[in-house]
Amino acid sequence: PIRRAYVNTSAASQRGPLMPETTLIVIGGGGATHGTHPELDRLCLSYACKQPRIGFIGIASDDDLAQFRLFEAAIRPMASAVTRLHPMADERTARHWAEGLDLVYLGGGDPVRLVARLIATGIGAVLADAYRRGVPLAGVSAGAMCWFDSFLWRSPDAGLAVAPGLGLVSGSMTPHSLIEPERLIKMQDLVDSGAFFEAWAVDDGAALIIQNGAASSWYPQEGTPRVHRFARSEPRSVSGV
């Protein structure tokens, strides 16, 4: 689907007339920065206009240039421009950079570093403003976890651990659940204990689409890899059902 600039449907009626549609693409792993799952790249671009201007943020990887080069090589043939936020950007620089972008993509790495930097620099506020005016946001692994109230990540010191996110969308999330199935067990425990309310696990090669603050679809629609939703004592895969 091509992203609509504005919506005025019954499903979005609570957002008021002519409110921008918000889109968040949550990728568990893979895609352009990994050189795998090119279908995830096409999925992201399907929510932007034709020949879009794409912005990339590599804070989670400590602005690893090789990661950006992989992303640029995969995305550039489908976009009019691919630009990287400067590693030393502050809020003002980021706001100028974000003007005119049709989609912003956050790469993977350390989610705790990513969240801390987005808050400390004000870049998180810039991205939230872009999101609310209808610019789709996409991210993989750390770049996907950061948007939720909280997330489950693999700390180098403590193993699987819970950390706070930016809270742009409600709920909790963890990636890499196909190759690290212990994440599924931990997520269910966190939901059953009341630590998490609504929670998601997204496999490598899969994506959850959140529009106007609610899950609207997922990829792939069936089979493996999967998107998993958790409720009290009721784990459920929404992909492949």
Side-chain angles (χ1 to χ4, degrees):
I2 300 300
R3 177 174 61 87
R4 293 169 290 165
Y6 294 97
V7 292
N8 187 11
T9 67
S10 57
S13 59
Q14 291 186 346
R15 295 179 58 78
L18 298 181
M19 288 291 287
E21 182 177 43
T22 61
T23 300
L24 179 63
I25 305 162
V26 178
I27 299 171
T33 56
H34 295 72
T36 65
H37 304 93
E39 66 277 7
L40 294 174
D41 307 332
R42 294 190 292 270
L43 174 70
C44 290
L45 293 183
S46 74
Y47 287 90
C49 60
K50 290 183 178 180
Q51 289 297 302
R53 292 178 53 84
I54 308 299
F56 179 83
I57 297 178
I59 292 171
S61 67
D62 203 17
D63 287 290
D64 178 11
L65 186 58
Q67 187 187 78
F68 171 69
R69 293 302 185 204
L70 279 172
F71 180 82
E72 183 181 37
I75 298 298
R76 187 64 182 86
M78 299 180 285
S80 64
V82 179
T83 64
R84 178 174 70 124
L85 181 65
H86 192 279
M88 300 302 293
D90 57 13
E91 181 175 359
R92 188 177 75 165
T93 303
R95 199 167 293 280
H96 178 73
W97 171 82
E99 290 178 1
L101 292 178
D102 300 300
L103 184 142
V104 178
Y105 190 103
L106 274 66
D110 184 331
V112 172
R113 171 172 53 206
L114 174 59
V115 169
R117 175 82 182 279
L118 291 176
I119 293 173
T121 59
I123 295 171
V126 172
L127 297 177
D129 288 345
Y131 172 77
R132 294 182 183 114
R133 67 173 182 265
V135 177
L137 302 180
V140 60
S141 190
M145 286 185 268
C146 67
W147 306 112
F148 290 81
D149 291 324
S150 55
F151 54 82
L152 179 69
W153 75 301
R154 186 169 294 282
S155 163
D157 300 319
L160 290 178
V162 175
L166 296 170
L168 189 66
V169 293
S170 62
S172 307
M173 185 263 176
T174 196
H176 310 309
S177 43
L178 178 62
I179 59 176
E180 299 181 25
E182 62 271 25
R183 290 177 183 255
L184 298 174
I185 299 170
K186 184 65 173 178
M187 289 293 273
Q188 187 64 65
D189 289 345
L190 288 164
V191 170
D192 285 344
S193 70
F196 286 174
F197 175 64
E198 182 178 39
W200 302 89
V202 184
D203 293 347
D204 285 48
L208 169 67
I209 313 301
I210 297 175
Q211 292 187 294
N212 301 335
S216 63
S217 63
W218 48 87
Y219 176 87
Q221 289 291 311
E222 57 185 31
T224 303
R226 297 184 175 185
V227 173
H228 311 263
R229 180 181 179 275
F230 295 83
R232 288 275 177 100
S233 298
E234 190 184 349
R236 183 165 66 93
S237 296
V238 295
S239 299
V241 173

